[in-house]
Amino acid sequence: MSDIKATVLVPGKIHPRVLERLEGQVEIVTAPSGPQPSLPADVAERIRAVAVSGSFNAAWMDALPKLEVIANFGVGYDGVDVKHAASRGIIVTNTPDVLNDEVADTTIALLINTVRRLYQAETHLRQGKWVSEGPFALSPFSLRNRKVGLFGMGRIGQEIAKRLEPFKVEIGYHTRSQRSELPYAYYASLKEMAQDVDVLICIVPGTPQTHKAIDAEILQALGPNGVFINVGRGSSVDEDALLKALQDGTLGAAGLDVFYEEPKVPEGFLSLPNATLLPHVASASVPTRNAMADLVADNVLGWLGDKKVVTPVPETPIKG
Ligand code: NAP
Ligand code: 8YV
């Protein structure tokens, strides 16, 4: 690296391996995260790169006059104001691909747990109820003879679809552009897909276009035998409508890894027998999170050394 004295800001917490990789190579400055920047002006003046897990808004960017790159920990970068970054010529990077398999594996596990109630069955055993009360109740739902619709068929969606093939379910998807090279049924509208399938898996990014796209109408179209799985973003769901649909049987069951306002999960979900709830763990294994951390560090160090990043987001491409 040519510029070993470059200053990198880490607002809030980040995976420790990011810090280990950066230590000694750059000056690391930490600061509490939050909506308003909190840094002395002389420090802010020096910062050329940011490594962040969470949110990084326009006010933060504007407090850093020499900022060149924001390396986001996570493939989803809905927490970063990428439009503002682009308008200021700041490169944003994310962590695609290295987590595809982990997230797809977790999605299948979440789907099967939701349909077959395995967590509740194990709890029955652990509480001694197998002995005292007898066998666990049959699961009302099965994966047999189901049609699965993926809302999103990108890097992770395609890995989920591949894993679904041996389960002998029909597979379709809704995205804005059809991927005619893929062997799955394409639906031009989300509503049309929700009407036709009985499992809906959400794996789209959190954007203004996907905001609350899964609403009461979509859940009703999925129906009382329907299963909704969310591994994308909580912002894609109208959570009040989802809670109501699960409570009154408009929707059969849901498996949720992501929520609208994490880590807050609306109280009503906690007592639902037909919901499986995970605390945003789809990529959360040591090897996969290490790979994500390495990519964050590679992006920061690559930029500061050679003006090259590994994984820029499409909104801030590297020119030249
Ligand atoms: P990706 O490769 O960019 O794929 C995104 C897919 O969503 C594409 O098929 C895209 O197709 C579709 N899409 C985007 N906007 C859409 C819209 N308005 N309507 C319909 N389809 C739309 O992203 P990825 O790597 O698969 O990751 C997807 C998302 O998963 C991430 O952004 C992140 O939010 C989430 N995620 C969650 C976890 C977790 O821990 N739970 C882990 C990793 C990722 P078109 O562009 O053709 O519409
Ligand atoms: C991470 C994710 O849990 O990559 C993403 O978009 O949602 C997850 O892999 C998260 O970004 C880290 O906080």
Side-chain angles (χ1 to χ4, degrees):
M1 246 181 57
S2 57
D3 184 357
I4 56 162
K5 292 200 180 79
T7 304
V8 178
L9 171 68
V10 179
K13 284 190 183 155
I14 201 157
H15 191 291
R17 189 170 174 123
V18 176
L19 300 174
E20 282 162 27
R21 287 278 318 275
L22 297 180
E23 259 157 33
Q25 309 241 38
V26 296
E27 180 200 16
I28 300 173
V29 169
T30 57
S33 58
Q36 287 307 319
S38 51
L39 272 180
D42 61 318
V43 176
E45 172 73 26
R46 292 203 301 275
I47 287 160
R48 290 180 53 203
V50 167
V52 66
S53 177
S55 62
F56 202 73
N57 65 18
W60 271 97
M61 292 178 211
D62 289 344
L64 310 176
K66 298 212 178 98
L67 184 60
E68 296 164 35
V69 66
I70 301 167
N72 182 62
F73 183 89
V75 64
Y77 47 96
D78 43 300
V80 177
D81 188 337
V82 74
K83 226 171 142 181
H84 192 72
S87 75
R88 275 206 37 204
I90 299 165
I91 309 291
V92 177
T93 67
N94 63 344
T95 61
D97 292 319
V98 294
L99 42 48
N100 293 351
D101 288 326
E102 200 74 73
V103 176
D105 291 351
T106 313
T107 306
I108 301 297
L110 180 56
L111 170 61
I112 294 177
N113 262 296
T114 304
V115 170
R116 296 297 327 286
R117 304 181 72 213
L118 299 181
Y119 170 72
Q120 292 93 324
E122 185 177 348
T123 305
H124 183 82
L125 180 155
R126 285 177 186 270
Q127 292 177 341
K129 290 185 180 170
W130 195 9
V131 176
S132 63
E133 294 177 13
F136 183 63
L138 305 184
S139 68
F141 298 124
S142 165
L143 201 56
R144 300 301 90 233
N145 303 312
R146 281 191 181 262
K147 252 189 193 180
V148 181
L150 281 95
F151 179 30
M153 187 50 90
R155 291 166 294 233
I156 300 171
Q158 288 175 54
E159 289 300 332
I160 296 171
K162 276 188 221 159
R163 281 161 177 71
L164 284 169
E165 285 180 27
F167 285 95
K168 298 182 270 185
V169 291
E170 285 184 54
I171 303 167
Y173 69 100
H174 164 67
T175 51
R176 290 164 301 181
S177 7
Q178 183 169 4
R179 307 285 301 257
S180 40
E181 76 279 16
L182 297 177
Y184 312 120
Y186 176 69
Y187 297 88
S189 93
L190 179 58
K191 171 94 183 283
E192 189 199 335
M193 182 168 81
Q195 275 164 339
D196 199 42
V197 301
D198 45 26
V199 175
L200 178 62
I201 299 178
C202 174
I203 185 66
V204 284
T207 65
Q209 294 74 40
T210 59
H211 189 256
K212 294 195 179 178
I214 312 285
D215 58 11
E217 195 183 31
I218 298 296
L219 297 168
Q220 191 168 29
L222 205 49
N225 186 43
V227 175
F228 172 61
I229 302 294
N230 195 3
V231 281
R233 281 289 180 266
S235 62
S236 299
V237 179
D238 178 340
E239 256 176 14
D240 292 339
L242 176 59
L243 180 58
K244 187 168 178 302
L246 287 166
Q247 282 170 334
D248 68 18
T250 304
L251 178 70
L256 309 171
D257 183 52
V258 286
F259 297 87
Y260 196 86
E261 207 187 335
E262 295 174 3
K264 290 185 202 156
V265 176
E267 186 74 25
F269 281 96
L270 304 183
S271 54
L272 285 173
N274 53 350
T276 299
L277 311 172
L278 297 178
H280 202 145
V281 294
S283 69
S285 72
V286 169
T288 295
R289 288 285 171 88
N290 280 347
M292 293 163 65
D294 280 338
L295 197 41
V296 171
D298 290 344
N299 278 314
V300 169
L301 297 174
W303 181 260
L304 295 175
D306 302 323
K307 289 268 187 289
K308 282 186 186 146
V309 292
V310 191
T311 48
V313 303
E315 294 90 334
T316 64
I318 308 282
K319 294 181 188 89

